[in-house]
């Protein structure tokens, strides 16, 4: 699944741009794939990228931004970085 997700991400970035809402969904899918493979640090980096881009493109209160925020918080919890996750969970 990962190679396909990466190809989809490259294609989406080319066709739509890095901050397009559809590209952000593809980033989230790739992050989920990496997380499922146990590659949590790579997933975290993508989730941070997705959150930042979503805040810029959609705004901080958009449901997709809030979803990205929650996904990052869960990943930080998986990494036992609860002190970083807690403020995100309270937003």
């Amino acid at each position: 699944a990962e190679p396909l997700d990466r190809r989809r991400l490259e294609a989406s970035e080319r066709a739509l741009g890095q901050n397009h809402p559809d590209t952000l969904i593809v980033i989230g899918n790739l992050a989920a794939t990496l997380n499922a493979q146990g590659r949590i640090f790579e997933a975290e980096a993508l989730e941070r990228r997705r959150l930042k881009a979503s805040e810029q493109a959609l705004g901080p209160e958009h449901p997709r931004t809030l979803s990205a925020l929650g996904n990052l918080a869960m990943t930080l919890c998986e990494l036992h970085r609860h002190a970083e996750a807690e403020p995100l969970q309270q937003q």
Side-chain angles (χ1 to χ4, degrees), residues 15-53:
L16 304 172
Q18 291 185 344
N19 291 348
H20 189 279
D22 290 346
T23 302
L24 300 179
I25 291 171
V26 177
I27 292 170
N29 291 342
L30 176 56
T33 297
L34 293 172
N35 198 330
Q37 293 175 347
R39 296 163 62 187
I40 301 173
F41 292 105
E42 291 174 74
E44 177 197 359
L46 284 173
E47 288 168 356
R48 287 187 185 280
R49 174 182 163 194
R50 177 182 174 216
L51 176 59
K52 182 178 178 181

Side-chain angles (χ1 to χ4, degrees), residues 21-91:
D22 290 346
T23 302
L24 300 179
I25 291 171
V26 177
I27 292 170
N29 291 342
L30 176 56
T33 297
L34 293 172
N35 198 330
Q37 293 175 347
R39 296 163 62 187
I40 301 173
F41 292 105
E42 291 174 74
E44 177 197 359
L46 284 173
E47 288 168 356
R48 287 187 185 280
R49 174 182 163 194
R50 177 182 174 216
L51 176 59
K52 182 178 178 181
S54 187
E55 287 173 335
Q56 292 172 350
L58 304 171
E61 296 300 318
H62 191 280
R64 287 187 190 173
T65 302
L66 296 175
S67 176
L69 188 69
N71 289 344
L72 176 57
M74 288 188 334
T75 296
L76 291 172
C77 285
E78 289 178 39
L79 292 167
H80 305 286
R81 290 164 45 195
H82 302 284
E84 288 180 67
E86 189 174 331
L88 298 178
Q89 292 170 327
Q90 294 175 357
Q91 288 185 9

